[in-house]
Amino acid sequence: MQMAIYSTNPNPPFCGMTSFVLDLSPIVTLTRAEFQKLCAANPDMKLERSASGELIVMSPTGGETGNRNSELTAEVVVWNKQSQLGKTFDSSTGFALPQGGDRCPDVAWIPLVKWEALTPEERRSFLPLCPDFVIELLSSSDIAVYRSMEYMGCRGQCPLRGGFTPTPRTSLR
């Protein structure tokens, strides 16, 4: 048996800016329940799971990306506090998507009606839904993973989504 491990960044600039996709199918099928146990056993790791069961290991971001991500999150939080239309989530929130993947978008938002429809147990776990609004801040290690994000294929369930690589001219307003 052979386990495939590959980096989504062919030329990682340095340690701490790489993601790896592990195809575990030759030895195991990683179910959603097993993935959630794996995440609970490794709380310091940023892990995602594709709809096909691949394990995606994301390293921490660099300072510039982390700062831009917090600014994006703050913008959505401020807008949501003013509008009081829903709930916002940061990159540490897992979404158990309908197609089978478990993803953690950089910024996500759902309307209040979706939040209120969740049971207390569902609210404490990976949210079993597709966010209505998603932002992915693309770093060199995210681009290939971003293209395959299952929430991009939620077919009408995620009407507002986007990803961008900020430049010095990029404005958050």
Side-chain angles (χ1 to χ4, degrees), residues 102-158:
D102 298 289
R103 299 295 187 165
C104 305
D106 289 331
V107 181
W109 177 88
I110 63 170
L112 208 48
V113 66
K114 276 190 177 181
W115 178 254
E116 292 170 347
L118 297 172
T119 67
E121 178 64 26
E122 289 172 323
R123 290 178 183 183
R124 287 188 294 271
S125 187
F126 285 33
L127 298 178
L129 51 80
C130 201
D132 287 54
F133 178 75
V134 168
I135 299 174
E136 280 293 335
L137 184 61
L138 304 180
S139 67
S140 59
S141 64
D142 288 335
I143 292 171
V145 174
Y146 171 78
R147 290 181 181 146
S148 67
M149 298 293 271
E150 281 88 7
Y151 51 70
M152 297 303 281
C154 281
R155 292 186 177 74
Q157 297 178 48
C158 183

Side-chain angles (χ1 to χ4, degrees), residues 3 23 32 48 58 70 99:
M3 186 177 359
D23 179 3
R32 176 164 283 150
E48 293 184 349
M58 306 291 289
S70 67
Q99 301 89 331

